[in-house]
Amino acid sequence: MSSDRRMSQSVSVSQLSTASTSKAITIDVKKRSVSKKHPSEEVIALFGAYGVTGRFFMERAIEAGYNVQAMILPGMQIDDYECVRNLRFITGSLEEVDKIRDVVENATYVVCLLNNCDYEGFRPPVGNIANEKASSGYDYCNLNFMHNLVPILEDTDTCRVLLYEASSLSLDHQGSTPVLSTIVKKMAVSKTSRGTKKEQDRIVNYISNQTKNAHFNYIITRPSTSIWDKPSRKKLAASKSQPGPFPITNTDLAEFTLNALKMQKIYNTCPYVVQDGI
């Protein structure tokens, strides 16, 4: 069977008949399976290449042979990559839908590593969050971006996985949070911290619900909030139970993120990212 082999997932919906009675029908939604192609035949669309983890991820993806299409903000320069054959930069902002389309064109994987990335001057997101933003002082930049991105991916024929990096404090796709994360959340009192956690919870909820009938899969990783910009410490693994108690490094997180794109067992889940063996 070819590499376009797909997994089937059934979703029930209701349709109102002319007699005003409801009739349940079944729609066969086929999720795209793990790609069997060589990395040189695949494209990774990257948002957040200018962050620390994003920079390490971009380097590892290039070294692995993937074709990388990365967005950089106007005025930004990322040196030492002018002659890299399998890397293309698209200059734009996360609110420019046409630029987002350019980045994800023909992408097999779409990776969003937006933690610790600043977007000054970004407009409030679609919907009714503008009023909340005015009262809370938080911009909800990433949530607005996801509202732009997901509908674009729903119309593509190539995307297999959307990976979004949240944090260990975020809810999972079922809306539950472990006790440890709940305790830490209550300790964070700054407006920015509260806004970030609220935004990430909304993003998790949006992605997990909006993509139920989509052909691509999602992965929402939830690494520790303690991430060090230091040399590699220990290989990381996915955990469905509890966040890890130990700090992790950006370079190890980047390596895990790249490998996760082909881990079918964590497709459509929100795994914690912890040191292997914990």
Side-chain angles (χ1 to χ4, degrees):
M1 193 175 292
S2 68
S3 61
D4 287 329
R5 184 177 49 188
R6 297 178 174 180
M7 303 175 292
S8 294
Q9 175 182 355
S10 295
V11 180
S12 295
V13 298
S14 295
Q15 184 179 41
L16 190 64
S17 69
T18 55
S20 299
T21 58
S22 296
K23 181 181 179 181
I25 61 174
T26 300
I27 296 178
D28 188 30
V29 178
K30 296 182 178 179
K31 294 287 187 181
R32 298 181 180 113
S33 61
V34 175
S35 173
K36 306 299 182 182
K37 293 183 179 179
H38 188 272
S40 62
E41 301 177 86
E42 298 181 315
V43 175
I44 294 178
L46 175 60
F47 297 93
Y50 34 85
V52 180
T53 303
R55 182 72 171 263
F56 281 122
F57 175 88
M58 183 173 65
E59 292 175 353
R60 277 154 180 73
I62 292 170
E63 292 171 358
Y66 288 99
N67 299 289
V68 178
Q69 298 172 171
M71 175 178 280
I72 57 173
L73 301 182
M76 282 188 171
Q77 290 185 342
I78 300 183
D79 300 326
D80 304 325
Y81 290 98
E82 293 83 356
C83 299
V84 177
R85 176 187 54 80
N86 54 331
L87 172 64
R88 181 167 73 98
F89 288 127
I90 293 92
T91 300
S93 68
L94 298 182
E95 64 179 341
E96 295 180 86
V97 175
D98 289 343
K99 296 295 185 179
I100 296 173
R101 291 186 189 277
D102 289 343
V103 176
V104 304
E105 184 179 7
N106 298 321
T108 315
Y109 311 103
V110 178
V111 177
C112 304
L113 305 177
L114 302 174
N115 291 339
N116 301 317
C117 292
D118 296 324
Y119 311 110
E120 295 182 3
F122 198 70
R123 289 202 300 266
V126 297
N128 61 357
I129 300 180
N131 293 334
E132 183 174 346
K133 181 260 181 183
S135 61
S136 68
Y138 191 81
D139 284 335
Y140 293 92
C141 304
N142 294 344
L143 178 60
N144 188 39
F145 166 62
M146 297 311 300
H147 275 276
N148 289 333
L149 175 64
V150 171
I152 293 174
L153 298 183
E154 290 177 316
D155 291 333
T156 67
D157 297 324
T158 59
C159 181
R160 292 179 181 271
V161 178
L162 164 63
L163 187 148
Y164 176 81
E165 181 188 287
S167 80
S168 60
L169 301 182
S170 305
L171 300 177
D172 65 13
H173 59 292
Q174 297 176 329
S176 59
T177 307
V179 175
L180 177 60
S181 291
T182 302
I183 294 173
V184 175
K185 274 187 176 183
K186 291 181 178 179
M187 295 173 60
V189 295
S190 73
K191 285 186 176 180
T192 300
S193 297
R194 290 198 301 268
T196 299
K197 289 191 289 292
K198 182 182 291 186
E199 180 182 42
Q200 290 187 342
D201 289 345
R202 291 183 176 183
I203 290 174
V204 171
N205 181 68
Y206 175 73
I207 293 176
S208 59
N209 284 283
Q210 186 68 21
T211 62
K212 284 180 179 178
N213 296 341
H215 292 295
F216 64 89
N217 306 277
Y218 72 82
I219 302 172
I220 299 174
T221 58
R222 295 187 290 168
S224 167
T225 55
S226 180
I227 303 177
W228 293 348
D229 185 15
K230 294 184 177 182
S232 176
R233 299 181 74 230
K234 191 173 183 180
K235 184 178 179 180
L236 303 182
S239 170
K240 295 182 179 180
S241 55
Q242 291 284 349
F246 303 113
I248 61 177
T249 67
N250 284 295
T251 181
D252 291 333
L253 180 56
E255 181 179 359
F256 170 85
T257 302
L258 182 61
N259 293 333
L261 297 176
K262 293 195 174 185
M263 294 181 187
Q264 185 170 318
K265 65 180 180 180
I266 63 172
Y267 282 7
N268 307 302
T269 67
C270 305
Y272 294 105
V273 182
V274 303
Q275 290 187 12
D276 198 8
I278 296 177

